[in-house]
Amino acid sequence: MPATVVVDGTITVAETDENYVCATIDWWPHDKCDYNHCPWEYTSVVNLVGLCNSSASSLDAFRPLRIRIGGSLQDQVLYDVGNLGSPCHSFFKMKGGLFGFSKGCLNMDRWDALNNLFSKTGAIISFGLNALHGRHKIKNKVWGGPWNSTNAHDFISYTISKGYKIEAWEFGNELSGTGIGASVSADTYAKDVGKLNEIVDALYKNSNKKPSIMAPGGFFEQGWFAKLLKITGPGTLNTVSHHMYNLGAGVDHHLIEHILNPYYLSKVSKTFSSLSQTIQQNGPWASVWVGESGGAFNSGGFHVSDTSVNSFWYLDQLGMAAAYNTKVYCRQTLVGGHYSLLNTTTFVPNPDYYSALLWHRLMGKTVLGVTTTASPYLRYYAHCSKGRVSVLLTLN
């Protein structure tokens, strides 16, 4: 049946960052398993093997690619610098540990090697800091007590001394609201975001550019996010980061049905809309990132998240998030898990890598209004093209 698509080039609906596409590098070790699959191999921040050689060209193709370093085990990471006071060891499985793992450690030789790769490929880095250090569990998932900022301070200081460029320091991972493995109250969190801001202000006082402060890197809960913004106030929290896994669990046998169902895909627009309103009302100075999104949680869907059908979800998410004024969209992951943009052993690109690259090269930052008489199965988004005065229309 014939349909009409109308793009209004006179109205800017929203605007993304120039480098909207982002990918994550996580902390999960090789023995992280979900549903009898262990898809992480050696892709962790602390043991990533072969990336420097095998996939530098995959990163270089974006020049620059945004990379967000962070994930579930982030709030158990110590940095081997200054007076650490304990041995620096890798994560290992531990009964009773957060997500079933012990605390882990990032040594500075490893940090140096990663930054060498980032420098060579022009990557733009955001780093998620441990926001549980010094706290203790009060009950169930609730943690309290003051944040011990000493180790983070020493790590940031080391990073500056080496001349490594960090665009944003993110505070914590999935500790907002009811949390995933742990939670911290909005009042306490806001206080410590302010403390991190003071540290960054002091350490970067002689720098030309100060990194942004980003938080909370968790799932949106309106009351908690509103309180965080109200308490921190302007000039402290620059970017609100949130996570999305709107396809459900990776083990769900209906994943492909969800991906190809426009009504299912559109449900998540309520989250984007509510978050946008919350920021306008409580912290209009802050920008928004999707700091982590892999479609299906728990490592993604086996033989789904790494196949071409997943691009119907991925491109739709890129378009929808941009239309709600999201500045950056970070895909979980660059490498690791079933939802990896690169194969976890060969580093050969998976189909969604090319979707990411296509968007990065073609879609500009200006989002335009677009309407159609077609059925909901036609997903449509329009942007000014990158580097040209023209319009690009993405149809999924």
Side-chain angles (χ1 to χ4, degrees), residues 15-21 66 167 326-328 364-365:
E15 191 170 276
T16 70
D17 188 88
E18 189 72 32
N19 296 298
Y20 175 62
V21 173
R66 287 184 179 277
E167 186 194 40
T326 301
K327 300 305 179 185
V328 174
K365 64 182 184 178

Side-chain angles (χ1 to χ4, degrees), residues 213 215 229 232-235 237-241 279-280 282-289 325 327:
I213 302 297
L229 287 163
T232 53
L237 180 58
N238 310 111
T239 302
V240 173
S241 55
I279 289 176
Q280 289 172 18
N282 301 281
W285 54 83
S287 62
V288 181
W289 284 29
N325 220 34
K327 300 305 179 185

Side-chain angles (χ1 to χ4, degrees), residues 149-176:
S149 62
T150 303
N151 192 224
H153 175 283
D154 292 344
F155 176 61
I156 295 172
S157 181
Y158 176 88
T159 299
I160 295 170
S161 72
K162 299 290 286 189
Y164 301 149
K165 295 179 180 178
I166 302 295
E167 186 194 40
W169 292 105
E170 186 175 28
F171 190 66
N173 185 83
E174 297 178 355
L175 302 174
S176 56

Side-chain angles (χ1 to χ4, degrees), residues 193-346:
V193 167
K195 189 173 185 178
L196 174 60
N197 185 57
E198 291 173 1
I199 290 170
V200 171
D201 274 344
L203 292 178
Y204 283 90
K205 64 182 179 181
N206 296 321
S207 301
N208 294 327
K209 184 179 179 183
K210 171 195 165 186
S212 298
I213 302 297
M214 186 159 64
F219 293 95
F220 176 64
E221 292 185 27
Q222 195 277 333
W224 196 99
F225 274 61
K227 183 175 283 190
L228 175 70
L229 287 163
K230 286 178 180 177
I231 297 174
T232 53
T236 301
L237 180 58
N238 310 111
T239 302
V240 173
S241 55
H242 68 115
H243 295 179
M244 307 192 84
Y245 286 88
N246 62 308
L247 295 179
V251 74
D252 190 339
H253 296 298
H254 300 287
L255 276 182
I256 292 178
E257 294 174 33
H258 295 334
I259 291 169
L260 299 178
N261 184 336
Y263 301 100
Y264 193 94
L265 295 178
S266 293
K267 288 180 181 179
V268 76
S269 64
K270 294 179 181 178
T271 299
F272 285 119
S273 177
S274 182
L275 176 58
S276 178
Q277 292 175 21
T278 299
I279 289 176
Q280 289 172 18
Q281 294 169 5
N282 301 281
W285 54 83
S287 62
V288 181
W289 284 29
V290 172
E292 181 182 313
S293 183
F297 58 81
N298 288 344
S299 302
F302 180 61
H303 286 172
V304 175
S305 297
D306 57 352
T307 66
S308 56
V309 71
N310 201 62
S311 285
F312 287 97
W313 161 80
Y314 183 36
L315 286 170
D316 187 65
Q317 275 276 289
L318 288 172
M320 188 186 300
Y324 281 96
N325 220 34
T326 301
K327 300 305 179 185
V328 174
Y329 188 103
C330 295
R331 167 64 181 264
Q332 174 86 344
T333 62
L334 174 63
V335 59
H338 298 306
Y339 37 41
S340 179
L341 292 180
L342 303 176
N343 183 281
T344 55
T345 55
T346 66

Side-chain angles (χ1 to χ4, degrees), residues 7-258:
V7 178
D8 188 346
T10 66
I11 298 176
T12 298
V13 172
E15 191 170 276
T16 70
D17 188 88
E18 189 72 32
N19 296 298
Y20 175 62
V21 173
C22 166
T24 68
I25 299 178
D26 211 312
W27 294 94
W28 288 120
H30 70 282
D31 51 353
K32 150 72 171 171
C33 305
D34 294 291
Y35 319 123
N36 298 316
H37 293 282
C38 305
W40 288 86
E41 301 292 341
Y42 290 89
T43 61
S44 165
V45 178
V46 295
N47 64 17
L48 187 55
V49 175
L51 182 66
C52 296
N53 300 318
S54 303
S55 65
S57 61
S58 298
L59 301 185
D60 201 47
F62 286 82
R63 192 163 281 274
L65 175 65
R66 287 184 179 277
I67 293 177
R68 177 237 180 195
I69 297 176
S72 297
L73 297 183
Q74 166 184 323
D75 295 301
Q76 298 189 93
V77 177
L78 298 174
Y79 319 110
D80 191 18
V81 62
N83 185 20
L84 183 59
S86 60
C88 185
H89 59 74
S90 299
F91 292 106
F92 57 86
K93 286 190 174 182
M94 187 177 79
K95 187 177 181 179
L98 201 59
F99 301 105
F101 285 91
S102 69
K103 292 181 179 179
C105 184
L106 174 64
N107 68 61
M108 293 304 98
D109 287 343
R110 183 63 179 167
W111 185 228
D112 294 341
L114 286 169
N115 276 279
N116 183 50
L117 171 67
F118 300 151
S119 177
K120 285 181 178 178
T121 58
I124 304 172
I125 306 303
S126 300
F127 189 96
L129 295 165
N130 180 346
L132 286 183
H133 188 44
R135 303 192 204 276
H136 59 277
K137 186 185 291 188
I138 299 174
K139 62 177 180 178
N140 299 326
K141 293 190 297 182
V142 179
W143 288 56
W147 174 52
N148 185 337
S149 62
T150 303
N151 192 224
H153 175 283
D154 292 344
F155 176 61
I156 295 172
S157 181
Y158 176 88
T159 299
I160 295 170
S161 72
K162 299 290 286 189
Y164 301 149
K165 295 179 180 178
I166 302 295
E167 186 194 40
W169 292 105
E170 186 175 28
F171 190 66
N173 185 83
E174 297 178 355
L175 302 174
S176 56
T178 55
I180 300 301
S183 68
V184 176
S185 72
D187 306 72
T188 300
Y189 214 86
K191 177 182 176 181
D192 292 327
V193 167
K195 189 173 185 178
L196 174 60
N197 185 57
E198 291 173 1
I199 290 170
V200 171
D201 274 344
L203 292 178
Y204 283 90
K205 64 182 179 181
N206 296 321
S207 301
N208 294 327
K209 184 179 179 183
K210 171 195 165 186
S212 298
I213 302 297
M214 186 159 64
F219 293 95
F220 176 64
E221 292 185 27
Q222 195 277 333
W224 196 99
F225 274 61
K227 183 175 283 190
L228 175 70
L229 287 163
K230 286 178 180 177
I231 297 174
T232 53
T236 301
L237 180 58
N238 310 111
T239 302
V240 173
S241 55
H242 68 115
H243 295 179
M244 307 192 84
Y245 286 88
N246 62 308
L247 295 179
V251 74
D252 190 339
H253 296 298
H254 300 287
L255 276 182
I256 292 178
E257 294 174 33
H258 295 334

